[in-house]
């Protein structure tokens, strides 16, 4: 190729070309995957910090790729957010999770609540609320058994609109949890303005809780503050008994992590006993 000027060279920068190709491929592949049922929803229990019994589950998407094997969401969710395909994918996960948990609850004494991750892009999109309500209607899952997990970064999209959507969800009986709490840009004080029901302390805090006294102080502060605002606190990524004991001692309400259970397919979840009644 002939050199025709700076812009042309930039245009052909190989890494740019790669990235473009990658996202085009991904767009195509996500479409195919949705059509051919390559996605699956796994469920990870959240347990009561005192009894270790199951209180609810979080839905986590899995991609069983025909050539690449199991692709982790950390590898395709950020790309799907860039291409916008998180919207159809997110709706698929939401519907699938509501359907599977509604089915699980049928004929059982204790109902299970399910939390579904919602990307900021999806959350602020026009028509999101209608989509959620429609899915509840279609699947028959009672609104109080659905929780939506959003990260605090959703606030970048405009706090007023976001709060409006949260209020509408709350009005319908759907709960909102603030995911990855503490990792974002914002201060603790904005919690006051958000109609959220739950905060999830990020795993990065939990990992350091025993070695870093300042981290431990932040964790304790968040728990105390959230309780004063009538919110429930979840600690993510519990891997050791020491972490469980530490957080139970600090009155963290719910725990989630490999110590209790890894994310699992519905068939495995169905076989678990010991589900507590929803509060
Ligand atoms: P997240 O929402 O913070 O989910 C928790 C992640 O931590 C999950 O990773 C889970 O498998 C993992 N985890 C749970 N317990 C432990 C533990 O004890 N130790 C360690 N090391 N990890 C633990 P996963 O399933 O790979 O998902 C990664 C992220 O991808 C999620 O982080 C979430 O941000 C995103 N994601 C997953 N499914 C969906 C989805 O359906 N929609 C959207 N928008 N995002 C999703
Ligand atoms: Ca989550
Ligand atoms: Ca999280
Ligand atoms: Ca996380």
């Amino acid at each position: 190729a002939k050199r025709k000027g700076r812009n042309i060279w930039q245009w052909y920068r190989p890494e740019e070309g790669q990235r473009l190709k990658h996202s085009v491929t991904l767009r195509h592949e996500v479409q195919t995957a949705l059509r051919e049922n390559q996605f699956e929803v796994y469920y990870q229990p959240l347990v009561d910090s005192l009894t270790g019994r199951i209180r609810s589950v979080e839905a986590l998407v899995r991609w069983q790729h025909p050539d690449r094997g199991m692709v982790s969401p950390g590898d395709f969710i950020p790309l799907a957010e860039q291409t916008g395909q998180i919207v159809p994918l997110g709706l698929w996960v939401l519907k699938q999770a509501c359907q599977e948990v509604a089915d699980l609850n049928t004929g059982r004494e204790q109902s299970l609540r399910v939390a579904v991750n919602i990307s900021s892009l999806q959350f602020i999109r026009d028509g999101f609320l209608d989509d959620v309500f429609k899915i509840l209607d279609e699947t028959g899952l009672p609104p109080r058994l659905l929780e939506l997990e959003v990260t605090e970064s959703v606030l970048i999209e405009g706090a007023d609109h976001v709060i409006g959507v949260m209020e509408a969800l709350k009005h319908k009986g759907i709960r909102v949890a603030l995911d990855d709490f503490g990792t974002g840009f914002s201060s603790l004080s904005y919690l006051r303005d958000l109609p959220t029901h739950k905060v999830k302390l990020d795993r990065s805090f939990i990992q350091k809780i025993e070695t870093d006294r300042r981290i431990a102080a932040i964790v304790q502060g968040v728990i105390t503050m959230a309780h004063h605002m009538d919110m429930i606190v979840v600690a993510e990524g519990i891997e050791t008994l020491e972490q469980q004991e530490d957080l139970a001692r600090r009155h963290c309400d719910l725990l989630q992590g490999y110590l209790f259970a890894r994310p699992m397919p519905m068939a495995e979840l169905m076989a678990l006993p010991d589900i507590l009644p929803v509060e």
Side-chain angles (χ1 to χ4, degrees), residues 18-71:
Q18 277 303 99
R19 197 188 302 157
L20 192 68
K21 209 168 134 198
H22 196 80
S23 69
V24 170
T25 310
L26 185 91
R27 184 188 293 274
H28 180 72
E29 286 193 13
V30 169
Q31 265 163 17
T32 309
L34 281 169
R35 205 174 48 233
E36 297 184 355
N37 273 315
Q38 293 170 10
F39 292 109
E40 192 177 353
V41 180
Y42 275 36
Y43 299 90
Q44 187 180 33
L46 278 70
V47 306
D48 187 289
S49 67
L50 296 176
T51 64
R53 291 175 68 191
I54 300 174
R55 278 274 174 211
S56 61
V57 292
E58 176 178 2
L60 293 157
V61 69
R62 294 291 179 265
W63 186 358
Q64 191 59 58
H65 193 284
D67 314 320
R68 288 186 234 165
M70 188 75 98
V71 190

Side-chain angles (χ1 to χ4, degrees), residues 153-170:
S153 68
V154 75
L155 290 167
I156 300 174
E157 311 289 348
D160 288 347
H161 179 71
V162 167
I163 291 170
V165 176
M166 288 180 176
E167 293 286 5
L169 290 166
K170 186 180 175 183

